[in-house]
């Protein structure tokens, strides 16, 4: 059966641990040592929305696995979508060329629609305001690497919790953790959807919506800052009301515990001051770097290039 | 002598058969087995018009042959053409980097101009409203695979026969077949150029221009539907008059013989209803998939990586 | 220590000779023979300005060295820069994916800012009106190949000497040569910055600013023509005043010595007439071709894939 990666909802706790250990094995490889894992396989990347980070991270991961890449960097302008082709048709055609398709698309649900019609694995690299499951995996993997565990932590999600798919995918993924306290800190116009908040609570998270980041900062193990995404707002006044409200600066860093870490899915446009970068608790560039190893582990899995272990066979809902 | 691929006119009947058999050999390879055919060669793709399908198909073919690819996906915006460079100069420069150049360009004749000045093979991946020779090869190869022969068939070309280079290149290529009946079914504003119709007749095809697709459907072995291409019309009223006139839907499928096949060069934007996709006679996604194997055979040939057989040496006019 | 390539100022005379000899060794390889030099390394190309030539030349070089490439062809539209990310942040992230980063950017100094924050080599592929060091290396390498030496030559730089980074980088690099006479021939509005002219003179070049190219043509060993770059002018009247003033045509070629060569960094838009192309002294397409070998030598060096020789260890200021 083909295993797509569409939503964080499909990952079990045991699958996560197996994936993280495998990513660690890839991280430990000498930098110039590629593997043979994906030898003879072609990955197609179809990006209908701007991205450097995610596309190049996937392509580096596939390259380090010994696989090949064909790429549509600017599919919105250069692909048949510009001629009115449906994402389903595009996917069906590209499935004839490639063994794995990675898609970013502005429309929520579009990647799942593509996956439904093809016989090769499809990975969702972000579908509109909906999900960004590989980013959430990287975020939780980074927490696991930095803190040595994913349970018993106090985590704040900060910024755009309404449109931001990375923060929302991470929140959903945190329901796989135990004994977690989750603070939601957002400007009024980018508060998290109440239905999602309720879902998180019902899934066992202790969730608190707060206004004052500084007040809770000393309690945090993880501060997850996000960008207010101008491209998601229809109303410029709403964007203006949200932008620049919550900044991570030196003053805030002084409130954080010495063992805390600051994450950000990047890019940032001012919501973390550059002076913070040299603080060892600023983990966001390490987080970006972790993306390659995590995606190597994920690609290896969906290409079915390793015998499934019992843990994975049971742990991955699909 | 360098062998370019510029027009279907250059292919002899014997060359076609040799190419199709070679494509079949590539099709039969296990999916993850690349060859060494193009090891040490670099293919440059220069696309001045939008395309996912054609570019990625060429790049997958080159990859499966063990070759390397350098790519200009959005050359209209990112290449020196934006600074006013001629296609000849661009080709001359890129010929210093690559062993094979694949070009799509909006201007008829531009690819031949590029080919005239370089010492590496150039493949025309579509030049304006002129030709799309590799698509025609894929189309005829698909007919050959599906029907086991290319002779004695009744074929309808439907839709945009005026601007559509794929349908027109296929029509020209059909002059290499024997005992073929060709129906042309087009809205008034996208009828095939009478000079081309006359050429087809003089070349031995039985050509009939008809208005009612349903009436001839029962006779068909191949129904080749095409998209009305908005980007080729200068007059929006003409586009409106052509668009949506001839649709392949369930009712039409009921008129088709059980052994008939439906082809389309893709992308489609409504001229074949998605409900038709699950019909086994809907061969257009198989057709797209055939593109990789056919292009592998073609690239192998123009790179001169195999000793020429007698058939090929005699059969390829250049 | 990481060795970036940011400016021609960093190259010593002895380093140039070592680089040119190494490029010659790569040039002498059979066309289809790739090396293992960069095996296991990934090069990222980030192009924020249009380019076919430079990007594909770098990618061909890396491919021929056995390395892998990940590419952002249209980073201005598709990268996080479109979301407001700084070049420093982008570079830090991409340094987690790649072993070498090649950047073209419209802003002078931007590539150096990127290089300052990362731990992998960064190569400047053109930063606004500032520098284009690899082009200058290719230009001087071509002079060395064509004339057998870089000293005792009479060279004219023609065209846009004010905004043109290629001509200005070459002029700076010529300060590493001995006994050189340099003519500067430019329309009034694209004269070279007087401070740079003074710097060249203080560095030992004999510099003359002249108006009449034909008058000095018989003395020249090298005529280096450049394009008047429309995209650098804020004032269209200035562009109009500069464009088309100095053309290399058959009449001018008759003034040139039989051993002289004509160079151009390309693209051209009329400043060298196409009729000149067939003249053996027209060396600009050979110059473009030399780019691959020269960049192979440079990439090999910055990746530190060869033991440093004494000459190189001493000769490369960084």
């Amino acid at each position: 059966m083909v295993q797509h990666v569409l939503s964080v909802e499909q990952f079990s706790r045991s699958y996560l641990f197996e994936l993280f250990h495998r990513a660690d094995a890839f991280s430990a490889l000498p930098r110039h040592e590629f593997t043979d894992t994906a030898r003879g396989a072609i990955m197609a990347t179809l990006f209908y929305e701007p991205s450097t980070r995610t596309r190049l991270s996937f392509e580096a991961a596939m390259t380090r696995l010994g696989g090949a890449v064909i790429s549509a960097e600017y599919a919105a302008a250069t692909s048949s979508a510009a001629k009115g082709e449906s994402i389903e048709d595009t996917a069906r055609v590209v499935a004839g060329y490639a063994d794995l398709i990675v898609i970013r698309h502005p429309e929520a649900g579009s990647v799942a629609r593509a996956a439904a019609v093809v016989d090769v694995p499809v990975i969702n690299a972000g579908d509109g305001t909906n999900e960004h499951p590989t980013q959430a995996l990287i975020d939780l993997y980074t927490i696991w690497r930095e803190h040595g565990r994913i349970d018993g932590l106090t985590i704040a999600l900060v910024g755009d919790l309404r449109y931001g798919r990375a923060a929302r995918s991470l929140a959903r993924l945190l329901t796989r953790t135990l004994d977690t306290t989750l603070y939601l800190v957002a400007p009024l116009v980018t508060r998290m959807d109440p239905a999602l908040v309720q879902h998180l609570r019902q899934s066992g998270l202790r969730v608190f919506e707060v206004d004052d980041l500084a007040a809770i900062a000393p309690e945090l193990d993880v501060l997850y800052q996000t960008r207010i995404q101008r491209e998601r707002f229809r109303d410029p006044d709403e964007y203006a009301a949200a932008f620049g409200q919550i900044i991570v600066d030196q003053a805030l860093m002084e409130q954080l515990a010495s063992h805390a870490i600051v994450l950000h899915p990047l890019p940032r446009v001012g919501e973390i001051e550059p002076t913070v970068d040299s603080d060892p608790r600023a983990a966001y560039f390490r987080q970006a770097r972790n993306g390659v190893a995590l995606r190597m582990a994920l690609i290896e899995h969906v290409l079915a290039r390793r015998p499934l272990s019992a843990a994975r066979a049971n742990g991955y809902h699909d």
Side-chain angles (χ1 to χ4, degrees), chain A:
Chain A
M1 194 181 61
V2 178
Q3 296 199 309
H4 304 298
V5 175
L6 299 174
S7 162
V8 293
E9 299 293 344
Q10 72 191 68
F11 303 119
S12 70
R13 183 173 164 90
S14 62
Y15 178 75
L16 292 175
F17 286 120
E18 185 165 359
L19 192 71
F20 294 169
H21 280 287
R22 190 66 186 148
D24 262 11
F26 285 123
S27 267
L29 285 179
R31 176 130 190 170
H32 297 304
E33 198 167 300
F34 292 179
T35 76
D36 272 336
T37 312
R39 186 75 60 199
I42 296 179
M43 178 178 82
T45 55
L46 303 179
F47 275 64
Y48 294 87
E49 277 197 330
S51 169
T52 309
R53 176 179 339 281
T54 303
R55 186 175 57 82
L56 295 187
S57 171
F58 268 109
E59 296 184 7
M62 186 63 173
T63 300
R64 292 196 181 283
L65 289 172
V69 177
I70 55 178
S71 181
E73 162 183 353
Y74 197 35
T78 67
S79 83
S80 300
K83 301 174 186 165
E85 185 175 61
S86 71
I87 186 74
E88 288 92 338
D89 273 17
T90 302
R92 259 183 286 230
V93 168
V94 174
Y97 308 159
D99 305 287
L100 167 63
I101 307 177
V102 178
I103 303 177
R104 168 165 292 190
H105 199 279
E107 201 182 317
S110 56
V111 181
R113 296 206 323 269
V117 297
V118 299
D119 56 0
V120 301
V122 171
I123 299 181
N124 180 1
D127 62 324
T129 58
N130 184 35
E131 280 244 28
H132 193 351
T134 62
Q135 181 65 50
L137 290 171
I138 291 161
D139 298 340
L140 193 58
Y141 173 52
T142 301
I143 292 171
W144 181 74
R145 275 174 75 95
E146 299 274 336
H147 280 301
R149 68 189 200 280
I150 62 174
D151 300 323
L153 296 171
T154 298
I155 299 172
L157 301 182
V158 183
D160 181 354
L161 309 184
R162 181 178 174 200
Y163 302 112
R165 58 193 171 200
R168 283 161 54 246
S169 280
L170 176 56
R172 288 173 185 279
L173 193 62
L174 288 174
T175 63
R176 303 304 190 257
T177 66
L178 304 174
D179 188 23
T180 299
T181 300
L182 185 62
Y183 286 108
L184 305 178
V185 193
L188 194 60
V189 295
T190 60
R191 288 260 171 95
M192 188 177 279
D193 173 19
L196 177 54
V197 174
Q198 189 181 5
H199 168 73
L200 297 176
R201 283 185 176 130
Q202 286 169 346
S203 304
L205 297 176
R206 286 184 298 271
V207 184
F208 303 97
E209 298 190 79
V210 300
D211 288 320
D212 186 357
L213 177 59
I216 58 151
E219 297 175 43
L220 297 178
D221 300 302
V222 178
L223 190 170
Y224 189 92
Q225 172 69 301
T226 64
R227 178 173 66 95
I228 307 296
Q229 302 173 89
R230 183 195 296 264
E231 66 271 27
R232 303 292 177 203
F233 287 82
R234 292 188 189 166
D235 179 348
D237 290 343
E238 281 205 351
Y239 175 72
F243 180 74
Q245 294 305 298
I246 311 177
I247 306 283
V248 175
D249 55 14
Q250 292 288 9
L252 189 78
M253 293 304 284
E254 285 169 22
Q255 301 299 312
L256 280 185
S258 62
H259 74 277
I261 58 171
V262 178
L263 299 181
H264 192 301
L266 303 177
R268 64 170 163 180
V269 290
E271 62 276 358
I272 300 178
E273 291 200 345
T275 55
V276 172
D277 296 356
S278 57
D279 190 305
R281 295 169 296 177
Y284 29 92
F285 292 118
R286 297 195 293 276
Q287 178 188 6
R289 195 171 288 240
N290 288 337
V292 176
L294 189 285
R295 287 184 171 117
M296 288 174 77
L298 197 67
I299 292 170
E300 177 190 54
H301 174 220
V302 300
L303 286 177
R305 290 300 177 94
R306 278 183 96 204
L308 286 181
S309 76
R312 186 161 52 204
N314 297 329
Y316 189 92
H317 328 156
D318 196 355

